[in-house]
Amino acid sequence: MKFYDKLNGAIAHNQSLLFIGLDPNPEMLPEQYCQKSHPQSMIDGLWDWLEFTISQTTDLVCAYKPTLGFYAALGIPGWELLQRTLKAIPAHIPIILDAKHSDLNTSTILAKTVFEEWQIDAITLSPYAGQDHVAPFLVYPDKAVFILCTTSNPSAAILQQYPTAESPFYLQVVKEAKNWGTPEQLGLEVGTIQPDILAKIRKEAPERVILARSIWSEGGNLKNLLSAGLNYNGDGLLLPVSQDMLGSENLSTQLQSLRAEINHLRTEISQENSTCSVWFPDVCLLNQHPLLDLILQLYDIGCIMFGEFVQASGATFPYYIDLRKIISNPQIFHQIVIAYAEILKDLTYDRIAGIPYGSLPTATGLSLHLNSPMIFPRKEVKAHGTRKVIEGNFNPGEVVVVVDDILISGKSVMEGAEKLKYAGLNVNDIVVFMDHEQGVKDRLRENGYQAHAVLTISEITETLYAAGRISEEQFKTLSEIN
């Protein structure tokens, strides 16, 4: 079973977002388990404590999280203790190994050991070595990783909040990590008692599971943390059980009370936030672009980014447009569908064709909005099944309008159009959201296609500059490439 399904199954079955850290820390060992006369007695005491904790909580938590470092510190007896602990956890409860692993050279062998030999469901990783470090863990489709974003220890702030609190390094970690794996395979580990930090991460990654840490420090407000960290479905946030509570002989009773409190607050928050978030404009321009609000929204949610980005062609551009995020924001997605539809209403066609994979959600939205049948050319042909090049029903000789997201070189959209033509369909028009300009429309025209764009990169940059979203230096750099 996939980790994501196993986790959601445990959450639903136990009605709990709580997880327990199974940490054999001798310094935290409750008095009733302490036997200091012989080293092996300490191991026995730790095992008795861990076993009791598991037996009292299997119907109250959604996951267990053993910390690898505590077991390793105990030497060979510690490794043996880890195996006993793993075997004691019921099969339907997912296990997240808290390893904070950070060594690129040992990532492949550790992934094999943890996922194949130990049959653990997920692991925590440090992001500093980048995607190459994470990749060996993601080749296991049924497993998952949690990327460490931020911690609560005060001395870490100088690094994690660099260069500014408004644009901290930990948010850059979130932005990059989202490109490494799917929401089902890659979550985020966040240690904080500050709701604003949790809220920033949730805003940047609305679809990711967040493994919260250190929330019970003095001054933490549970409802504020839940409001900041829960997703729009009222879940997506895993909460730790306090280490102090794990020393209690009445653990089950206390945990039931905590679970009830959290579920009550989740209900309150869901009722308070029962509608989709709404974006409001914060600028007013005299000669504003008709799609001003849409441009600003796309920039504000990170669909329009500026920096040094390598494109699929190998060229480096000072910007990047990522429309894949719009599917998580119905308000903006609807506006984009309407913008496309304004162009399509003046065109003649029988079917809409989306180009995999980026424009398929938009093509689907247009198909529903315009009540027009949709097809799409496959990016690759399967070696099994029907082996179709074109998915969907169509008749040779029909006219198809092609929908894509961005025109840069025109290569990918023409390849898709050629597949459609090879199947006996006619393609005259290609409609995209953004035109990179630099003569790409002329290139398409020379190949027999008429290109239409909702926006050009010039319109986007001019609007963002006028609205104060980008600097004069950024504007000049972008203007020079057009």
Side-chain angles (χ1 to χ4, degrees):
M1 179 183 291
K2 291 185 177 181
F3 167 78
Y4 193 78
D5 296 334
K6 191 173 182 179
L7 175 65
N8 285 331
I11 290 173
H13 184 269
N14 288 346
Q15 289 295 295
S16 177
L17 297 180
L18 292 165
F19 70 87
I20 285 182
L22 296 174
D23 301 338
N25 183 356
E27 295 180 358
M28 299 297 295
L29 186 63
E31 185 65 31
Q32 62 267 31
Y33 299 103
C34 289
Q35 299 176 29
K36 301 178 181 179
S37 59
H38 190 276
Q40 187 59 39
S41 297
M42 182 187 69
I43 295 294
D44 290 340
L46 289 169
W47 164 245
D48 290 343
W49 180 33
L50 294 171
E51 185 181 38
F52 172 79
T53 300
I54 295 170
S55 67
Q56 292 292 300
T57 59
T58 53
D59 59 345
L60 297 170
V61 300
C62 66
Y64 290 103
K65 186 184 66 61
T67 299
L68 185 61
F70 282 117
Y71 295 90
L74 296 172
I76 293 176
W79 292 111
E80 295 172 345
L81 180 61
L82 175 61
Q83 296 307 312
R84 293 176 70 185
T85 302
L86 296 178
K87 290 179 181 178
I89 298 173
H92 68 282
I93 304 290
I95 302 172
I96 304 170
L97 184 67
D98 194 0
K100 302 289 194 302
H101 188 258
S102 59
D103 180 46
L104 179 62
N105 295 328
T106 57
S107 58
T108 299
I109 186 63
L110 181 64
K112 179 178 175 64
T113 299
V114 168
F115 290 154
E116 293 185 26
E117 296 181 22
W118 297 354
Q119 290 297 302
I120 283 172
D121 302 289
I123 189 171
T124 65
L125 303 174
S126 172
Y128 206 73
Q131 186 177 15
D132 291 340
H133 172 225
V134 179
F137 297 88
L138 295 177
V139 299
Y140 296 87
D142 293 344
K143 308 299 183 178
V145 301
F146 285 86
I147 303 300
L148 178 64
C149 299
T150 183
T151 63
S152 60
N153 50 306
S155 65
I158 194 171
L159 295 175
Q160 294 170 6
Q161 297 193 24
Y162 180 86
T164 66
E166 291 71 32
S167 182
F169 176 71
Y170 70 80
L171 278 189
Q172 184 63 31
V173 170
V174 175
K175 293 174 183 178
E176 289 300 318
K178 290 192 303 178
N179 296 320
W180 298 346
T182 66
E184 290 76 19
Q185 270 196 290
L186 189 144
L188 305 169
E189 184 177 12
V190 180
T192 186
I193 60 168
Q194 300 181 44
D196 62 321
I197 289 179
L198 202 52
K200 288 178 181 178
I201 293 174
R202 173 54 74 202
K203 181 179 179 181
E204 186 62 42
E207 76 290 0
R208 303 286 165 164
V209 177
I210 292 177
L211 182 74
R213 300 287 301 276
S214 309
I215 66 169
W216 303 113
S217 300
E218 186 176 352
N221 183 298
L222 181 57
K223 183 173 182 179
N224 289 345
L225 288 166
L226 287 171
S227 296
L230 292 171
N231 63 22
Y232 52 85
N233 289 324
D235 49 35
L237 179 66
L238 309 185
L239 302 166
V241 174
S242 168
Q243 189 70 36
D244 293 339
M245 190 178 292
L246 295 179
S248 171
E249 295 182 0
N250 300 315
L251 177 58
S252 179
T253 301
Q254 292 189 30
L255 211 54
Q256 289 180 47
S257 177
L258 178 59
R259 181 184 62 174
E261 180 185 3
I262 290 171
N263 288 337
H264 176 71
L265 291 173
R266 288 172 66 192
T267 301
E268 281 188 5
I269 293 166
S270 295
Q271 292 173 347
E272 293 169 0
N273 304 319
S274 59
T275 59
C276 294
S277 59
V278 178
W279 180 94
F280 294 97
D282 58 357
V283 297
C284 181
L285 305 178
L286 293 177
N287 298 311
Q288 67 183 42
H289 192 283
L291 295 178
L292 168 68
D293 286 356
L294 178 57
I295 294 171
L296 296 183
Q297 288 177 82
L298 290 173
Y299 177 80
D300 288 349
I301 68 170
C303 290
I304 303 174
M305 296 170 283
F306 296 96
E308 295 294 322
F309 297 97
V310 179
Q311 308 297 315
S313 64
T316 300
F317 290 168
Y319 70 88
Y320 184 68
I321 310 294
D322 181 8
L323 295 183
R324 289 169 294 185
K325 296 181 179 181
I326 64 173
I327 61 175
S328 297
N329 193 312
Q331 180 193 11
I332 298 177
F333 188 31
H334 178 70
Q335 292 180 64
I336 285 182
V337 168
I338 296 300
Y340 271 94
E342 279 297 303
I343 296 175
L344 266 67
K345 68 181 177 60
D346 296 324
L347 304 179
T348 301
Y349 58 92
D350 300 304
R351 297 179 191 276
I352 296 171
I355 300 298
Y357 295 102
S359 68
L360 290 183
T362 302
T364 303
L366 283 167
S367 175
L368 294 169
H369 180 73
L370 299 172
N371 195 29
S372 179
M374 173 187 161
I375 59 175
F376 69 89
R378 294 192 63 87
K379 197 167 187 177
E380 64 285 311
V381 180
K382 289 184 177 180
H384 58 274
T386 61
R387 302 182 182 180
K388 288 183 178 180
V389 177
I390 311 298
E391 294 291 353
N393 297 323
F394 62 91
N395 299 309
E398 290 182 322
V399 178
V400 175
V401 59
V402 172
V403 171
D404 204 359
D405 48 5
I406 302 170
L407 276 183
I408 295 180
S409 66
K411 180 182 177 182
S412 62
V413 73
M414 282 194 286
E415 288 177 349
E418 288 301 310
K419 291 178 182 178
L420 295 167
K421 292 170 68 174
Y422 186 78
L425 294 162
N426 297 312
V427 180
N428 302 318
D429 298 290
I430 293 172
V431 183
V432 301
F433 182 76
M434 195 210 77
D435 175 17
H436 176 64
E437 298 173 288
Q438 294 193 338
V440 66
K441 280 188 175 181
D442 294 335
R443 200 172 306 127
L444 290 175
R445 191 178 299 112
E446 292 170 1
N447 286 273
Y449 305 109
Q450 183 67 36
H452 313 265
V454 174
L455 291 166
T456 65
I457 185 61
S458 295
E459 290 176 293
I460 291 173
T461 55
E462 288 169 3
T463 301
L464 291 175
Y465 178 62
R469 291 297 202 274
I470 61 175
S471 67
E472 183 176 359
E473 182 180 356
Q474 288 176 311
F475 177 67
K476 287 180 178 179
T477 300
L478 293 161
S479 299
E480 288 173 0
I481 68 171
N482 294 306

